[in-house]
């Protein structure tokens, strides 16, 4: 295959990554406009965001294995086609419930797409060009992360052909069509290994456990915290416990488990799982609440709200560049430097909200959100490679896939917990001061979670895994590709 076709193939893979990154963030900005149009409760607004990441957390446990069984190209294209149809369903949603169901399908399709991307890059490029290919991947992911909320604000505010918020999902159509058309032509074919088998019951136990864990946190306030929610929480523990027991039994019987549980015996990896849950809960939940404060509390439009939060994204982009350049020298210290900046940014945000009050503007938030984003970006690049440093080669695939699932679960928990705290504080008949009080409380919780992550950071390895390629949090799928039998 010629060089031109290989790079065209890379762009088709980037299209899949771009759709995932956009749809992981668009509801943060578009959510209030969606609720204003479709109606629904405050909990439904949380589900619009959490359903995508929760479904992806579940799907990632088997997404990589599907590529090994049926061939990465075939599975990627199937996931991309499903994502396109789910995006159409999101845009056509007539109720909050319909949108939430479509978001679940989107998340599952993303979990099928994303693990194939990194393996296909290695299949597509000869060894001498792989470094350049992965080098192009990083900036695109960074730009998508920066521009995602801004693009959502622009599209909602532009109201193209009267589409309003629906355009944030319709924008996936040209991207998906490009990815499918080009990918079908130039991506390398593979037959896969049909002798591999999925652990369907294991995946079902994990799915039920994660859902039962999140449901009481999102719906509890709206339902008045009835006693039966405690039963659901117990059910979550039983389901997840059953998942662990099943994985151990499969390993003992010589069958391939979804997750190689031996990695959880390593203190550094277990600390990394805790770090991942806490870190992503804080940043995703705080992001949602800041958007709610600006739009519901202060009356910002979607575009103005996204521009007010843009310094956060710009800081994240700059912080990622700094970490990529220094992680080999600083190792784990870059995580602590980033977390310290996040603490400063959160403390500053609390001070600005408390001091400026109802006169809050994007300009008053810009310095503190820039600092917060700068610190956050420093975590993204080295985190997963550092957590994986002491994982054995035979455990890399399972450990990386599990870590990605915990990343998405953490995002869902952040939306559920911090969103619930925000709406509980705001109350049924909110005033501007109620929104400001709720935002301050959530900021303090995010600050506490960031401090906890700082402490957990001392349990992580001092250096990243040798020969690891600096990546975003999506990159462990590449490591997973190297150990397909364990995904």
């Amino acid at each position: 295959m010629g060089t031109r076709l290989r790079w065209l193939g890379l762009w088709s893979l980037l299209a899949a990554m771009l759709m995932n990154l956009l749809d992981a963030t668009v509801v943060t900005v578009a959510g209030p406009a969606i609720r204003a149009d479709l109606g629904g409760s405050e909990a439904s607004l949380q589900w619009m965001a959490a359903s995508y990441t929760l479904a992806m957390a579940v799907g990632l446990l088997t997404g990589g294995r599907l590529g090994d069984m049926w061939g990465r190209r075939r599975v990627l294209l199937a996931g991309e086609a499903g994502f396109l149809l789910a995006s159409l369903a999101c845009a056509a949603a007539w109720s909050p419930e319909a949108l939430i169901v479509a978001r679940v399908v989107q998340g599952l399709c993303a979990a099928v797409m994303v693990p194939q991307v990194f393996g296909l890059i290695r299949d597509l490029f000869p060894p001498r060009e792989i470094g350049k290919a992965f080098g192009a991947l990083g900036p695109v992911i960074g730009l998508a992360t920066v521009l995602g909320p801004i693009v959502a604000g622009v599209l909602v505010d532009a109201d193209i052909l009267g589409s309003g918020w629906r355009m944030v999902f319709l924008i996936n159509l040209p991207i998906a069509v490009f990815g499918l058309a080009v990918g079908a032509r130039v991506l390398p074919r593979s037959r896969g290994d049909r002798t591999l088998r999925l652990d369907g019951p294991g995946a079902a136990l994990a799915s039920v456990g994660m859902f039962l864990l999140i449901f009481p946190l999102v719906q509890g306030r709206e339902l008045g915290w009835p006693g039966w929610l405690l039963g659901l929480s117990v059910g979550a523990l039983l389901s997840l416990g059953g998942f662990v027991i099943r994985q151990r039994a499969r390993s003992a019987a010589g069958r391939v488990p979804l997750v190689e549980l031996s990695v959880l015996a390593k203190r550094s990896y277990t600390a990394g799982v805790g770090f991942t849950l806490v870190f992503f809960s804080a940043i995703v939940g705080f992001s949602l609440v800041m958007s709610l404060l600006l739009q519901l509390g202060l009356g910002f439009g979607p575009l103005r709200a996204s521009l007010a939060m843009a310094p956060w994204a710009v800081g994240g982009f700059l912080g990622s560049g700094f970490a990529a350049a220094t992680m080999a020298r600083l190792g784990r210290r870059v995580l602590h430097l980033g977390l310290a900046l996040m603490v400063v940014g959160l403390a500053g945000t609390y001070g600005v909200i408390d001091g400026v009050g109802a006169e809050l503007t994007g300009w008053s938030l810009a310095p503190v959100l820039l600092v917060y984003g700068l610190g956050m970006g420093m975590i993204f690049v080295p985190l997963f490679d550092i957590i994986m440093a002491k994982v054995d080669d035979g455990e890399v695939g399972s450990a990386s896939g599990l870590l990605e699932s915990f990343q998405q679960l953490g995002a869902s928990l952040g939306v559920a917990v911090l969103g619930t705290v925000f709406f509980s504080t705001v109350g049924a008949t909110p005033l501007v001061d109620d929104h400001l009080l709720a935002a301050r409380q959530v900021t303090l919780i995010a600050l506490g979670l960031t401090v906890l992550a700082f402490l957990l950071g001392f349990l992580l390895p001092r250096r990243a895994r040798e020969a690891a390629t600096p990546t975003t949090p999506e990159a462990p799928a590449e490591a997973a590709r190297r150990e397909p039998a364990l995904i």
Side-chain angles (χ1 to χ4, degrees):
M1 182 186 296
T3 300
R4 185 179 66 84
L5 288 180
R6 282 198 294 269
W7 284 95
L8 188 60
L10 176 64
W11 279 106
S12 74
L13 296 175
L14 293 179
M17 293 295 296
L18 180 61
M19 289 191 297
N20 171 50
L21 290 166
L22 288 176
D23 280 78
T25 58
V26 291
V27 171
T28 301
V29 172
I34 295 173
R35 185 182 170 212
D37 182 28
L38 298 182
S41 65
E42 293 162 345
S44 67
L45 197 155
Q46 292 173 263
W47 279 118
M48 290 173 199
S51 57
Y52 182 90
T53 52
L54 183 59
M56 192 172 180
V58 171
L60 282 168
L61 293 174
T62 57
R65 172 62 63 84
L66 290 173
D68 299 323
M69 291 174 59
W70 298 96
R72 296 185 191 94
R73 172 183 172 275
R74 180 181 299 170
V75 171
L76 173 82
L77 295 177
E80 209 162 9
F83 199 95
L84 185 155
L85 295 176
S87 298
L88 283 172
C90 287
W94 60 90
S95 68
E97 294 77 15
L99 178 57
I100 291 166
V101 170
R103 290 281 287 168
V104 169
V105 177
Q106 269 193 320
L108 292 174
C109 291
V112 170
M113 285 193 308
V114 171
Q116 319 310 325
V117 169
F118 300 94
L120 280 167
I121 290 176
R122 295 187 66 89
D123 294 341
L124 194 61
F125 287 89
R128 67 181 183 277
E129 295 184 18
I130 286 178
K132 293 180 181 179
F134 279 109
L137 185 67
V140 170
I141 292 175
L143 285 173
T145 304
V146 170
L147 295 177
I150 298 175
V151 169
V154 170
L155 292 175
V156 175
D157 206 59
D159 193 22
I160 300 170
L161 299 177
S163 59
W165 60 267
R166 300 176 191 273
M167 187 55 67
V168 302
F169 299 111
L170 291 174
I171 193 67
N172 289 329
L173 270 60
I175 301 173
V177 168
F178 169 80
L180 288 167
V182 175
R185 181 185 175 204
V186 303
L187 292 179
R189 299 173 182 268
S190 61
R191 295 183 56 85
D193 184 354
R194 306 296 172 81
T195 64
L196 297 174
R197 293 292 181 267
L198 291 176
D199 179 11
L205 284 170
S207 303
V208 171
M210 290 183 190
F211 175 75
L212 294 180
L213 180 65
I214 297 296
F215 183 87
L217 298 174
V218 174
Q219 293 291 149
R221 183 191 62 83
E222 187 174 295
L223 296 174
W225 301 104
W228 57 267
L229 286 181
L230 179 61
L232 293 186
S233 299
V234 173
L237 296 177
L238 292 176
S239 296
L240 294 174
F243 174 76
V244 171
I245 292 172
R246 180 173 177 83
Q247 299 313 296
R248 286 178 173 171
R250 286 179 68 87
S251 294
R255 303 173 68 187
V256 178
L258 279 174
V259 175
E260 193 63 58
L261 295 177
S262 59
V263 298
L264 296 176
K266 295 177 169 60
R267 188 192 71 170
S268 61
Y269 182 81
T270 305
V273 167
F275 186 105
T276 300
L277 281 171
V278 169
F279 176 73
F280 284 98
S281 294
I283 63 173
V284 175
F286 180 64
S287 172
L288 174 66
V289 165
M290 286 300 297
S291 179
L292 294 175
L293 168 65
L294 294 173
Q295 295 189 64
L296 299 183
L298 301 177
F300 284 31
L303 177 58
R304 187 182 175 195
S306 63
L307 291 177
M309 296 175 65
W312 179 349
V314 172
F317 185 67
L318 296 175
S320 297
F322 174 85
T326 62
M327 63 176 287
R329 177 165 52 89
L330 295 179
R332 187 180 69 189
R333 287 176 293 175
V334 75
L335 300 182
H336 283 117
L337 176 59
L339 290 165
L341 287 174
M342 289 174 67
V343 167
V344 172
L346 286 168
T349 301
Y350 182 94
V352 169
I353 295 174
D354 187 49
V356 178
E359 303 301 319
L360 193 70
T361 67
W363 291 111
S364 57
L365 284 171
V368 292
L369 291 183
L370 180 67
V371 172
Y372 182 78
L374 190 65
M376 180 188 72
M378 292 182 188
I379 312 298
F380 280 170
V381 171
L383 176 59
F384 278 28
D385 287 337
I386 288 175
I387 293 174
M388 297 286 291
K390 295 186 177 180
V391 172
D392 296 336
D393 289 343
E395 300 169 329
V396 166
S398 182
S400 57
L402 183 61
L403 207 54
E404 282 189 82
S405 292
F406 275 114
Q407 173 197 334
Q408 302 300 328
L409 179 60
S412 299
L413 285 169
V415 170
V417 175
L418 298 189
T420 296
V421 169
F422 179 83
F423 285 122
S424 297
T425 305
V426 164
T429 56
L431 301 173
V432 173
D433 287 345
D434 297 320
H435 284 93
L436 293 169
L437 173 61
R440 290 199 301 271
Q441 290 187 348
V442 168
T443 302
L444 287 178
I445 294 173
L447 181 59
L449 291 172
T450 306
V451 171
L452 177 57
F454 189 93
L455 297 175
L456 287 171
F458 288 108
L459 301 177
L460 301 180
R462 294 180 180 275
R463 297 284 173 184
R465 187 175 181 84
E466 290 185 10
T469 302
T471 64
T472 67
E474 298 290 355
E478 162 56 17
R481 194 205 69 81
R482 295 196 296 267
E483 297 288 341
L486 295 177
I487 296 178

